[in-house]
Amino acid sequence: MMHGSRSAKRDHASAPTAWITMPRLTSRGMRDERVIAEECPVALVFDGTTIAVLMATPSDLTDLALGFSLG
């Protein structure tokens, strides 16, 4: 779970969106936008000790922490 969190509801409520739009030019020179995944650093902290820092999209952080911990 996210550091300091006790429920998955708070993880999702405090997380920013997992995507951003980037301007681009198409092959025909037209302006367009493309939706891409946004990543941010996530620190996994157990008993006050940082175990790992990794890049991840800010969605489903509870699942990421649980899977990492069990692995």
Side-chain angles (χ1 to χ4, degrees):
M1 283 190 224
M2 289 176 54
H3 181 62
S5 178
R6 296 274 186 237
S7 73
K9 290 180 185 175
R10 283 183 34 200
D11 290 350
H12 294 288
S14 64
T17 58
W19 65 88
I20 57 173
T21 56
M22 293 294 294
R24 70 179 187 119
L25 291 176
T26 66
S27 60
R28 295 181 182 182
M30 306 279 295
R31 290 180 185 233
D32 194 10
E33 287 186 340
R34 175 172 284 175
V35 177
I36 61 172
E38 180 180 20
E39 292 186 331
C40 60
V42 176
L44 298 176
V45 180
F46 296 91
D47 293 327
T49 302
T50 301
I51 302 300
V53 177
L54 49 117
M55 297 298 290
T57 60
S59 62
D60 300 322
L61 293 174
T62 301
D63 291 339
L64 172 67
L66 182 61
F68 187 91
S69 300
L70 292 174

